[in-house]
Amino acid sequence: MELRIAHLYARLLNIYGDRGNILSLQKRALWRDIAVEIKEVGLQELIDPDWADIYFVGGGQDKQQIMIAQDLQRHADNLKRAANNGAVMLSVCGGYQLFGHYYQPHEGPKLPGISLIDAYTVAGNKRMIGNVTIKLSDDSTLVGFENHSGKTFLGKDLAPLGKVIKGNGNNGEDGFEGAQHKNIYGTYLHGSLLPKNPQFADKLISEALTRRYGEVKLKRLDDSIEMEAHKHALVLKP
Ligand code: GLN
């Protein structure tokens, strides 16, 4: 078996260690003797919508988002086709914002998103910074760190990723964080997210491999260190 990962704008949208998500997916596959191929997709480069099992896009300052917003438009149809074929997509913060309809920064024009998810983002007056814990629908928790001024609002039929237990989440108002639609996940959780949330990393890997190989049961790993980090993050102040 092989896990194919497309890392969008790896050199531009990579603040707060978001590349750690790629390393976590890679290691958790290799530890199970699953081969991994990672392709970085930069400005002006192309996406083969049938190649990747998982797409990842990280966060960035407004400046980097302005640099990539127009370029990302080229990929809208191919990413929608990949999503409709069940590809897994994880988008963090700035990448999450551009997977929605638009991001309106503090200054300058509205940045177009690719409407992969029914959400929009407008920059708020205060930066939402700090440790975050959210509870998913299966009562598991995700821990991470947020740093964004953007306030994201979900369309009425778009499910959040989870309920905010600690921190601000999407907009500091509605008590929800992130978004999920099909196998597309958006979140504000940096940190990076996956190393301290091994069960979520495995969920993404399993969904990605199942799409190509049919039902995949992942071998259990010893996650004692990862769960120590998770438990430590749970008790950090917001
Ligand atoms: N520039 C966006 C904001 O401030 C996203 C920031 C980020 O990716 N951490 O909301």
Side-chain angles (χ1 to χ4, degrees):
M1 252 190 287
E2 181 191 51
L3 181 67
R4 297 173 177 174
I5 303 172
H7 187 177
L8 308 183
Y9 307 107
R11 300 185 193 277
L12 284 166
L13 293 181
N14 179 38
I15 48 175
Y16 313 121
D18 287 338
R19 179 182 289 273
N21 292 301
I22 297 286
L23 300 178
S24 177
L25 291 169
Q26 180 184 40
K27 283 288 179 197
R28 297 186 71 80
L30 292 175
W31 288 335
R32 292 166 163 125
D33 301 321
I34 298 168
V36 179
E37 190 175 352
I38 299 166
K39 275 189 184 165
E40 293 189 359
V41 181
L43 290 171
Q44 278 97 44
E45 292 179 339
L46 298 176
I47 284 178
D48 169 357
D50 302 319
W51 182 81
D53 304 306
I54 296 186
Y55 294 81
F56 175 73
V57 57
Q61 309 292 1
D62 288 9
K63 186 162 142 278
Q64 285 88 8
Q65 286 175 282
I66 292 163
M67 285 170 75
I68 72 133
Q70 282 311 334
D71 190 76
L72 183 61
Q73 292 300 314
R74 294 181 304 120
H75 300 310
D77 292 345
N78 277 341
L79 287 172
K80 281 176 188 155
R81 185 168 134 194
N84 289 335
N85 290 338
V88 172
M89 300 187 177
L90 176 62
S91 57
V92 176
C93 204
Y96 166 36
Q97 294 171 342
L98 294 177
F99 269 25
H101 302 308
Y102 63 83
Y103 168 50
Q104 174 59 66
H106 268 296
E107 276 123 43
K110 194 185 274 189
L111 301 182
I114 56 174
S115 299
L116 262 184
I117 54 172
D118 179 17
Y120 69 90
T121 302
V122 287
N125 297 325
K126 77 169 176 93
R127 282 204 79 78
M128 290 172 266
I129 301 177
N131 296 299
V132 182
T133 299
I134 67 172
K135 181 169 274 195
L136 306 189
S137 51
D138 63 2
D139 276 347
S140 64
T141 49
L142 291 184
V143 293
F145 179 89
E146 64 183 334
N147 182 337
H148 55 105
S149 66
K151 298 167 76 169
T152 296
F153 297 92
L154 307 186
K156 66 178 179 46
D157 299 326
L158 179 59
L161 183 57
K163 219 172 143 18
V164 175
I165 307 293
K166 175 173 70 187
N168 294 282
N170 280 333
N171 48 49
E173 294 166 13
D174 62 17
F176 291 110
E177 200 288 324
Q180 57 183 322
H181 171 61
K182 295 188 182 135
N183 286 345
I184 306 166
Y185 301 90
T187 181
Y188 275 109
L189 271 59
H190 293 288
S192 45
L193 172 70
L194 297 180
K196 289 192 291 292
N197 299 288
Q199 83 288 357
F200 192 66
D202 284 352
K203 172 181 162 65
L204 301 185
I205 294 170
S206 171
E207 286 175 355
L209 292 172
T210 297
R211 179 184 78 106
R212 197 136 60 92
Y213 298 105
E215 190 60 29
V216 168
K217 278 240 159 293
L218 294 177
K219 187 175 75 174
R220 279 182 65 78
L221 296 176
D222 171 6
D223 285 332
S224 45
I225 296 174
E226 290 84 350
M227 288 318 290
E228 270 310 302
H230 185 98
K231 282 191 219 114
H232 178 73
L234 281 173
V235 297
L236 290 175
K237 290 193 182 58

